[in-house]
């Protein structure tokens, strides 16, 4: 039997997930709301002094982005496993790794990309120097896919558990530490006027590593979770 | 298409599955060919659904092998999955999408649909007027019918049905029987788990009692 090609299957899965996401826009916007909320709480809790805020801005932005993506990872596969549609994906003639990669891509478009777009606003609110904003956006654009992919891998592993929430954060956090370190460093260096291409390259390398390995790991983990 | 269904043969040999420290079944052998229906029955908790999951390849058995067209399924999963359709005891539908959206997505992963295929299938299962509402607002029996439409549209030789009669009214149960009969006459094969007796009246149906 002629099975539709990989590109078609990827697109179909992506479109379905985006459509579902937009029907529950409130839920999809949760990580973004969290990101904005946490970053605006710092000036209120610490002090509105521009010097202090500019000094802590890189750390605040990156820790909030990381926590927002942790929050998002939990919902990545859970619904599909609960309503049984994941079984049908696992029984389709298409590679499960491809379909899960498409799901993760849709998830990133709805939860990761908004963080990148919101970064200038948040940066401005924290008195981040204007010249650091483009670098921060570039770094976030490279880092959030890694966060989504690692999150997807761990979510696939824990989705079979009834209360995997706490475990999920414990699994994700150690793995994404390099992303946090390089990301915050990139913003920090850019606000000091330093050359950041090295750090950005490292973030890009991490993303490519996650992109090439995590689909296979996600599929293997999902088959175990469905067993 | 039906031509290639004739020599398709499903075989399971020496299947054994444990759940925790409980053995669900052991040394289970059976096979079906074109035009044959295997009705798997047994009391609750005897491992019927687990058996179907092993057959599909969702669960790996401790020992034994499942073969499709003479090939071990574990080694040619995509080929096998292209030729089966599975109705689990959940309908596997997205509650926020309509029946048509659900089905066109799933079929989009499997094959090209003709222009009228979708409408025809939904009419056959008696859902012609409920195609655009979200599946959430369909009744349990209507959801079952959507799952049956998926079976039809997949155009796969091997149907694996887990309690297809659940939630269906009398007409719905007759529909399931009619669809299975039609499928068998067309050279397909059916593995059916059901508590009640099926109404397929033709040769080539057998029963496997699990205990």
């Amino acid at each position: 039997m002629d099975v539709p090609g990989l590109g078609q299957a990827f697109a179909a899965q992506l479109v379905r997930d985006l459509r579902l996401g937009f029907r529950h826009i409130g839920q999809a916007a949760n990580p973004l709301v969290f990101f904005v909320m946490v970053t605006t709480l710092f000036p209120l809790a610490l002090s509105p002094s521009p010097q202090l805020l500019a000094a802590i801005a890189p750390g605040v932005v990156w820790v909030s982005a990381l926590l927002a993506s942790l929050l998002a990872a939990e919902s990545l596969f859970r619904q599909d496993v609960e309503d049984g549609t994941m079984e049908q994906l696992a029984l389709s003639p298409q590679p499960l790794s491809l379909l899960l990669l498409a799901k993760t891509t849709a998830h990133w478009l709805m939860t990761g990309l908004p963080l990148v777009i919101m970064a200038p606003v948040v940066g401005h609110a924290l008195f981040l120097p204007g010249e650091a904003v483009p670098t921060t956006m570039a770094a976030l654009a490279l880092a959030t896919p890694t966060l989504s992919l690692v999150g997807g891998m761990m979510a696939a592993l824990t989705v079979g558990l009834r209360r995997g929430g706490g475990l999920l954060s414990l699994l994700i956090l150690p793995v994404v530490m390099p992303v946090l370190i390089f990301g915050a460093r990139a913003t920090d260096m850019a606000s000091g006027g330093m050359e950041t291409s090295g750090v950005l390259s490292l973030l890009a390398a991490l993303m490519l590593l996650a992109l090439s390995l995590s689909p296979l790991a996600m599929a293997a983990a999902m088959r175990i979770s469905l067993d | 298409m039906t031509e290639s269904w004739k020599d398709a043969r499903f075989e399971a040999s020496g299947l054994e599955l444990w759940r925790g420290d409980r053995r669900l079944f052991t040394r289970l052998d059976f096979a079906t060919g074109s035009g044959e229906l295997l009705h798997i029955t047994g009391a609750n908790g005897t491992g019927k659904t687990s058996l179907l999951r092993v057959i599909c390849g969702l669960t790996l058995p401790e020992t034994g092998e499942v073969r499709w067209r003479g090939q071990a399924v574990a080694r040619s999963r995509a080929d096998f999955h292209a030729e089966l359709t599975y109705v689990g005891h959940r309908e596997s539908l997205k509650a926020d999408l309509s029946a048509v959206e659900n089905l066109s997505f799933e079929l989009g992963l499997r094959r090209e649909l003709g222009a009228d295929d979708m409408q025809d299938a939904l009419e056959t299962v008696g859902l012609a007027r409920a195609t655009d509402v979200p599946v959430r607002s369909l009744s349990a029996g209507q959801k079952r019918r959507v799952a049956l439409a998926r079976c039809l549209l997949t155009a796969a030789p091997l149907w694996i049905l887990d309690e297809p009669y659940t939630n269906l009214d009398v007409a719905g149960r007759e529909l399931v029987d009619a669809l299975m009969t039609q499928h068998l006459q067309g050279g397909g094969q059916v593995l059916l788990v059901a508590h009640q007796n099926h109404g397929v009246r033709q040769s080539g149906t057998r029963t496997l009692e699990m205990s």
Side-chain angles (χ1 to χ4, degrees):
Chain A
M1 210 187 279
D2 275 346
V3 171
L6 298 181
Q8 248 175 301
F10 185 90
Q13 179 72 60
L14 186 69
V15 168
R16 186 199 74 156
D17 275 32
L18 287 177
R19 183 177 286 167
L20 280 170
F22 282 116
R23 295 211 178 154
H24 285 277
I25 195 72
Q27 203 183 349
N30 249 347
L32 179 65
V33 172
F34 179 85
F35 178 64
V36 173
M37 229 159 49
V38 171
T39 47
T40 47
L41 283 180
F42 275 86
L44 294 177
L46 286 172
S47 104
S49 128
Q51 289 83 6
L52 175 70
L53 288 176
I56 60 164
V60 170
V61 169
W62 279 89
V63 169
S64 315
L66 181 67
L67 293 179
S69 75
L70 274 187
L71 186 72
E74 168 67 16
S75 64
L76 184 43
F77 300 129
R78 181 155 307 276
Q79 273 223 314
D80 282 27
V81 170
E82 276 171 4
D83 63 22
T85 45
M86 188 59 79
E87 277 174 11
Q88 292 293 336
L89 295 186
L91 291 176
S92 85
Q94 305 291 346
L96 187 58
S97 50
L98 179 86
L99 300 177
L100 296 186
L101 179 62
K103 284 190 72 64
T104 313
T105 308
H107 186 259
W108 175 76
L109 286 173
M110 284 183 301
T111 63
L113 191 58
L115 302 190
V116 181
I117 296 169
M118 203 48 130
V121 180
V122 168
H124 187 69
L126 293 173
F127 296 100
L128 192 68
E131 61 268 25
V133 167
T135 309
T136 304
M137 286 183 78
L140 276 171
L142 291 169
T144 44
T146 316
L147 296 177
S148 291
L149 288 162
V150 172
M153 212 157 65
M154 302 310 181
L157 207 54
T158 56
V159 75
L161 309 173
R162 231 161 300 149
R163 287 193 192 85
L167 184 60
L168 186 60
S169 315
L170 281 181
L171 285 172
I172 296 177
L173 272 177
V175 182
V176 297
M177 272 311 123
V179 177
L180 176 70
I181 293 166
F182 293 129
R185 191 82 193 108
T187 305
D188 203 22
M189 286 165 82
S191 42
M194 280 185 269
E195 170 65 34
T196 53
S197 59
V199 188
L200 290 181
S201 306
L202 277 168
L203 284 173
L206 285 173
M207 184 188 81
L208 291 177
L209 184 71
L211 193 60
S212 51
L213 293 182
S214 69
L216 302 174
M218 272 192 268
M222 186 55 77
R223 290 208 188 271
I224 294 172
S225 290
L226 288 177
D227 193 327
Chain B
M1 187 182 295
T2 335
E3 210 40 48
S4 75
W5 288 15
K6 290 248 160 53
D7 48 2
R9 197 165 168 72
F10 175 85
E11 294 157 304
S13 57
L15 293 183
E16 176 169 310
L17 184 71
W18 289 73
R19 271 292 172 250
D21 54 0
R22 209 163 68 86
R23 191 172 66 193
L24 285 178
F25 46 81
T26 183
R27 274 177 264 164
L28 203 58
D29 299 283
F30 53 89
T32 57
S34 176
E36 290 180 347
L37 177 147
L38 183 69
H39 180 198
I40 301 163
T41 62
N44 292 130
T46 46
K48 300 185 296 295
T49 294
S50 301
L51 175 60
L52 283 195
R53 292 178 68 86
V54 168
I55 290 170
C56 295
L58 284 173
T59 303
L60 290 179
E62 259 69 37
T63 58
E65 197 176 52
V66 176
R67 283 186 303 278
W68 175 249
R69 294 183 187 273
Q71 288 221 306
V73 164
R75 280 193 292 279
S76 56
R77 190 152 48 194
D79 293 340
F80 178 53
H81 286 167
E83 294 201 285
L84 77 74
T85 176
Y86 171 68
V87 176
H89 53 97
R90 286 175 300 187
E91 281 78 14
S92 301
L93 298 166
K94 278 283 161 203
D96 295 318
L97 298 181
S98 72
V100 171
E101 284 170 328
N102 265 295
L103 293 176
S104 15
F105 162 68
E106 282 186 50
L107 273 299
L109 301 180
R110 290 179 162 272
R111 69 185 192 99
E112 302 279 340
L113 283 184
D116 301 330
D117 288 1
M118 176 77 69
Q119 200 55 38
D120 289 351
L122 286 168
E123 261 166 43
T124 309
V125 299
L127 281 179
R129 280 179 300 136
T131 51
D132 291 334
V133 292
V135 165
R136 171 187 310 290
S137 54
L138 297 182
S139 75
Q142 284 176 314
K143 286 181 196 160
R144 271 277 115 169
R145 285 165 186 262
V146 179
L148 290 173
R150 178 204 292 137
C151 257
L152 282 177
L153 288 166
T154 311
L158 180 61
W159 286 11
I160 298 178
L161 310 177
D162 193 356
E163 299 288 357
Y165 300 107
T166 313
N167 293 326
L168 288 177
D169 52 18
V170 178
R173 293 200 289 274
E174 280 166 6
L175 172 71
V176 174
D177 290 333
L179 292 178
M180 287 195 298
T181 308
Q182 196 190 351
H183 182 60
L184 294 171
Q185 280 165 355
Q189 41 195 300
V190 180
L191 294 167
L192 167 73
V193 161
H195 284 292
Q196 68 180 95
N197 291 327
H198 60 81
V200 175
R201 299 281 162 262
Q202 63 173 51
S203 60
T205 69
R206 278 169 299 140
T207 303
L208 174 74
E209 174 93 36
M210 309 259 304
S211 54

